[in-house]
């Protein structure tokens, strides 16, 4: 609740951001409270400027999230992770997110998209969550040059298509038509 108010005075105290990130890390490794860790993290991401704020911590934050993912997946954690990455892509940009994650391990973001997002995106239940994920991953598809590096079977994608995937596919096809018409 304290983070929902003005964060400037709170974070102006020396070391306060590091303490909040330590609390996030402790909570995210507890299966009963991992969602609370995501709540703290999302509040910080939305409240702080990326430059001169979060930029120096994001690689460590992503590493923490992927360590937790390796240690033990739960559907709740996976859904929170998908939502968090959607918020990050919407608020701070696709290329920034993808390049920072891939700086941990080359191709890591694509592995996340294939293995977690592809499997669990349709399990999100709330309307707001579905909208956030649809917007975030539509931006990912449309804006990320990295998204075009790995070819995925069109038939394979269609076999797993959900309403959210359909929106993304139709937007991508519309973008391709516009490019084709410009070239003619």
């Amino acid at each position: 609740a304290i983070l929902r108010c003005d964060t400037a005075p709170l974070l102006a105290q020396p070391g306060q951001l590091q303490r909040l990130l330590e609390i996030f890390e402790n909570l995210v490794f507890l299966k009963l409270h991992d969602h609370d860790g995501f709540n703290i993290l999302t509040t910080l991401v939305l409240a702080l400027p990326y430059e001169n704020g979060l930029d120096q911590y994001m690689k460590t934050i992503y590493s923490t999230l992927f360590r937790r993912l390796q240690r033990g997946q739960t559907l709740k954690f996976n859904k929170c992770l998908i939502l968090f990455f959607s918020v990050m892509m919407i608020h701070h940009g696709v290329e920034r997110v993808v390049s920072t994650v891939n700086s941990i391990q080359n191709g890591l973001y694509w592995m996340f998209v294939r293995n977690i997002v592809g499997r669990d995106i349709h399990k999100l239940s709330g309307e707001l969550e579905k909208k956030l994920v649809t917007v975030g991953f539509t931006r990912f598809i449309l804006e990320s040059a990295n998204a075009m590096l790995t070819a995925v079977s069109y038939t394979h994608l269609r076999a797993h298509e959900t309403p959210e995937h359909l929106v993304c596919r139709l937007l991508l096809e519309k973008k391709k038509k516009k490019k084709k018409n410009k070239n003619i």
Side-chain angles (χ1 to χ4, degrees):
I2 195 165
L3 289 177
R4 302 252 182 240
C5 63
D6 184 18
T7 57
L10 178 69
L11 297 175
Q13 301 170 17
Q16 191 64 29
L17 179 57
Q18 291 84 346
R19 284 192 284 277
L20 287 170
L21 290 172
E22 287 171 11
I23 292 169
F24 145 74
E25 186 171 358
N26 289 331
L27 288 171
V28 85
F29 278 97
L30 300 171
K31 290 183 180 181
L32 289 176
H33 298 286
D34 51 8
H35 63 284
D36 294 321
F38 276 106
N39 287 338
I40 290 171
L41 186 58
T42 302
T43 301
L44 290 173
V45 162
L46 294 174
L48 295 174
Y50 196 86
E51 293 80 10
N52 302 320
L54 286 175
D55 56 343
Q56 61 187 324
Y57 300 103
M58 288 314 300
K59 188 172 179 179
T60 303
I61 289 169
Y62 292 142
S63 295
T64 299
L65 293 171
F66 285 110
R67 268 196 337 266
R68 167 56 169 82
L69 190 63
Q70 285 180 323
R71 183 177 284 179
Q73 292 183 33
T74 63
L75 180 58
K76 179 179 78 163
F77 179 82
N78 291 358
K79 288 166 40 173
C80 287
L81 190 59
I82 292 167
L83 283 168
F84 174 71
F85 274 108
S86 298
V87 168
M88 284 299 296
M89 289 186 293
I90 293 166
H91 199 66
H92 292 296
V94 172
E95 288 301 324
R96 181 177 279 161
V97 173
V98 172
S99 63
T100 306
V101 170
N102 285 340
S103 73
I104 299 167
Q105 178 184 327
N106 194 26
L108 181 59
Y109 198 82
W110 256 113
M111 286 189 280
F112 165 68
V113 169
R114 278 194 312 264
N115 299 329
I116 305 300
V117 176
R119 183 188 66 213
D120 292 335
I121 194 169
H122 69 282
K123 296 176 184 171
L124 292 162
S125 54
E127 288 302 313
L128 179 60
E129 289 84 0
K130 287 179 181 180
K131 288 178 183 178
L132 279 170
V133 169
T134 299
V135 171
F137 282 94
T138 298
R139 282 190 69 180
F140 170 71
I141 290 169
L142 296 176
E143 295 176 19
S144 177
N146 295 326
M148 302 306 160
L149 293 178
T150 304
V152 177
S153 162
Y154 185 75
T155 307
H156 175 77
L157 288 175
R158 293 292 301 273
H160 298 287
E161 192 168 59
T162 64
E164 291 83 9
H165 294 131
L166 176 62
V167 170
C168 293
R169 181 174 60 82
L170 293 174
L171 287 170
L172 187 57
E173 288 174 1
K174 183 178 180 180
K175 184 177 179 183
K176 284 182 182 179
K177 280 184 182 179
K178 283 183 182 179
K179 279 187 177 180
K180 200 179 233 185
N181 289 340
K182 284 182 181 178
N183 292 336
I184 295 178

